[in-house]
Amino acid sequence: DAMVIQNPRYQVTQFGKPVTLSCSQTLNHNVMYWYQQKSSQAPKLLFHYYDKDFNNEADTPDNFQSRRPNTSFCFLDIRSPGLGDAAMYLCATSRGVGGNIQYFGAGTRLSVL
Amino acid sequence: DQQVKQNSPSLSVQEGRISILNCDYTNSMFDYFLWYKKYPAEGPTFLISISSIKDKNEDGRFTVFLNKSAKHLSLHIVPSQPGDSAVYFCAGGAGAGSYQLTFGKGTKLSVIP
């Protein structure tokens, strides 16, 4: 049973057209993360929520926003996707302090035309 | 600045032999490390971890060794099986109150039957 679910698995958007990726979890974890991963690169943390507290990485472009309306759901909004935003986007969760293991979803592969 | 380095992008091993995947880190604040395994079209899944107070942790066929003075860790898989073919990511975390991870670029392991 999938515990971290990402939808859609594949997303195609046009240059400049806003897109939203979603993530849900059944683990009741405090922390939810969004990573961007490009081919042969390490997953790059974009931001995370600890409960409702939002934490943005310093080098995350303003084009990327996130929402966490409740414990179970987290969204990644890309306001004006560029060609360089084509990547795999991974959502992960963890318990937070005292729980170091992160549990990942299967990812959303974003293509920008 | 790559704080976690996996210098071998790929590794091929014969079935039944030992696989050794290496990871180096530069951040002295890391005090725990995790290995993740990733199959194509799936998210990374947690494999094994080690705290900096240990130099070895074993789980079945998987053993992780940590050499703090060299800032080096390795994952040993014995015996290797074709189902172990995947990309392996090393990740480091810092501090008792921290829950964020820094990932390496991964090593693709191919186990040849």
Side-chain angles (χ1 to χ4, degrees):
Chain A
D1 291 335
M3 297 177 287
V4 182
I5 302 166
Q6 291 188 242
N7 285 304
R9 293 294 309 276
Y10 301 91
Q11 176 74 57
V12 180
T13 190
Q14 291 180 327
F15 184 94
K17 185 173 181 182
V19 67
T20 295
L21 310 182
S22 75
C23 178
S24 64
Q25 56 135 338
T26 60
L27 298 163
N28 204 34
H29 280 170
N30 293 316
V31 192
M32 295 187 77
Y33 310 80
W34 280 105
Y35 290 88
Q36 179 192 65
Q37 187 183 20
K38 297 187 176 181
S39 181
S40 302
Q41 297 295 312
K44 178 181 180 297
L45 182 64
L46 296 173
F47 26 58
H48 72 275
Y49 276 92
Y50 197 119
D51 294 328
K52 293 189 176 183
D53 292 335
F54 177 71
N55 297 272
N56 200 31
E57 293 302 298
D59 57 353
T60 298
D62 293 339
N63 199 24
F64 292 84
Q65 303 286 320
S66 185
R67 297 170 282 136
R68 188 178 185 186
N70 54 53
T71 301
S72 301
F73 284 87
C74 196
F75 299 97
L76 170 62
D77 300 309
I78 309 176
R79 292 193 291 193
S80 182
L83 298 178
D85 297 327
M88 175 69 82
Y89 290 88
L90 294 166
C91 173
T93 74
S94 72
R95 286 188 312 169
V97 173
N100 302 326
I101 299 172
Q102 293 186 14
Y103 297 84
F104 284 83
T108 295
R109 170 72 65 188
L110 177 69
S111 299
V112 182
L113 303 179
Chain B
D1 175 33
Q2 247 186 294
Q3 298 185 42
V4 178
K5 300 178 185 178
Q6 295 178 257
N7 291 320
S8 297
S10 62
L11 174 68
S12 289
V13 172
Q14 208 72 29
E15 180 179 3
R17 307 294 288 267
I18 184 171
S19 295
I20 300 176
L21 296 98
N22 293 304
C23 178
D24 297 294
Y25 63 96
T26 58
N27 189 339
S28 300
M29 299 300 292
F30 286 152
D31 62 359
Y32 61 91
F33 301 89
L34 296 83
W35 284 92
Y36 281 81
K37 176 179 180 179
K38 184 182 183 304
Y39 291 120
E42 295 183 13
T45 55
F46 170 72
L47 189 59
I48 191 169
S49 65
I50 189 166
S51 163
S52 61
I53 62 173
K54 295 185 175 182
D55 55 15
K56 178 182 174 181
N57 189 27
E58 200 170 348
D59 184 2
R61 296 185 298 113
F62 302 91
T63 303
V64 57
F65 295 92
L66 175 61
N67 182 334
K68 282 183 294 183
S69 61
K71 292 191 174 68
H72 177 82
L73 61 156
S74 59
L75 174 67
H76 293 211
I77 306 174
V78 183
S80 302
Q81 299 173 353
D84 296 329
S85 297
V87 177
Y88 290 79
F89 291 95
C90 171
S98 173
Y99 46 89
Q100 295 183 55
L101 298 174
T102 302
F103 286 85
K105 292 184 177 183
T107 295
K108 183 177 181 180
L109 174 65
S110 300
V111 180
I112 304 161

